[in-house]
Amino acid sequence: MRAMQDFTEQRTDDTPDEIWVCQHPPVFTQGLAGKAEHVLLNPPGPGHIPVVQTNRGGQVTYHGPGQVVAYPLLDLKRRGYFVKEYVYRVEQAVLRTLQDLGVTGHRVAGAPGIYVRLDDPFAHAALTGPVDLSDPFRGLGKVAAIGIKVTRHCTYHGVALNVDMDLAPYGRINPCGYNGLRTVDLATLGVHVGWDEVAARFAQHLDSSLS
């Protein structure tokens, strides 16, 4: 986070944009809207996972090995689009990466990130019908989370796509502030692919979608 902040603060109008792709050791991160009560269980001792306060948008999420994390560091003014379109383009890169692997991802209005049908993640039909306000994510699992920061038209923080990870820590939080929201990875969906391959595909789609 400090490296992204330093890069953004020091960049000039001529600084080339970058996309950083990595994976993290286990960590919970809170966004600006994050509430302490959304961290349900995280006792100190063996298995303790640190909770880091950040300045990104959104609420609490988890990062860990087996997850592709991408941080686009872009000058939106130079690229000619605004924040809403930027988020759309990031989500589009996730959708295209999933499509490469045979998985159909979906957007859910008002809930940034990408979701899949748990009963058939490979079905091509769009989500239809009214949303049950008491359970807006019924039948869905979240496979990618987005949390960004924009300073002087420049982006940092980014997007996390779950590949093959220990999902148990998600049970210690309300992911993105939603009680009971199920989080999945590609391995859960029956797609067994290496981190390196997903990272390379995702980086390529981000580069294309954000250009």
Side-chain angles (χ1 to χ4, degrees):
M1 183 172 66
R2 292 192 186 97
M4 288 188 290
Q5 287 176 307
D6 289 346
F7 178 91
T8 303
E9 290 170 1
Q10 295 168 12
R11 66 179 301 163
T12 69
D13 291 343
D14 299 320
T15 302
D17 292 338
E18 298 185 3
I19 299 175
W20 298 357
V21 180
C22 63
Q23 58 185 323
H24 291 299
V27 61
F28 295 119
T29 66
Q30 281 276 30
L32 291 172
K35 299 178 181 179
E37 58 264 33
H38 289 311
V39 180
L40 308 176
L41 175 66
N42 195 36
H48 175 63
I49 298 174
V51 180
V52 176
Q53 187 66 44
T54 75
N55 63 345
R56 63 166 172 79
Q59 301 197 40
V60 67
T61 194
Y62 170 70
H63 296 306
Q67 179 188 67
V68 177
V69 182
Y71 297 124
L73 306 173
L74 310 182
D75 183 335
L76 296 183
K77 185 176 181 180
R78 187 167 62 202
R79 289 188 175 241
Y81 47 81
F82 296 102
V83 174
K84 186 175 181 179
E85 182 176 349
Y86 167 66
V87 172
Y88 181 89
R89 286 170 179 253
V90 170
E91 290 178 337
Q92 196 65 24
V94 177
L95 293 172
R96 289 171 178 168
T97 303
L98 294 176
Q99 185 179 34
D100 285 351
L101 302 169
V103 175
T104 301
H106 302 273
R107 293 181 174 92
V108 173
I114 296 298
Y115 303 80
V116 294
R117 277 196 176 91
L118 295 176
D119 61 345
D120 189 356
F122 311 105
H124 296 300
L127 299 181
T128 58
V131 173
D132 182 351
L133 296 180
S134 67
D135 187 7
F137 302 103
R138 179 176 297 173
L140 300 177
K142 191 167 191 174
V143 73
I146 295 176
I148 65 169
K149 176 69 174 178
V150 181
T151 299
R152 296 181 293 110
H153 309 289
C154 295
T155 69
Y156 61 105
H157 293 292
V159 54
L161 174 57
N162 302 337
V163 179
D164 186 359
M165 57 192 301
D166 177 9
L167 296 172
Y170 284 105
R172 305 188 197 180
I173 61 174
N174 289 331
C176 304
Y178 295 105
N179 182 24
L181 172 59
R182 184 173 172 188
T183 305
V184 297
D185 59 11
L186 290 172
T188 303
L189 304 178
V191 178
H192 299 285
V193 60
W195 186 94
D196 289 343
E197 180 180 344
V198 177
R201 288 179 181 271
F202 191 26
Q204 183 178 26
H205 284 305
L206 278 170
D207 187 41
S208 175
S209 186
L210 294 170
S211 64

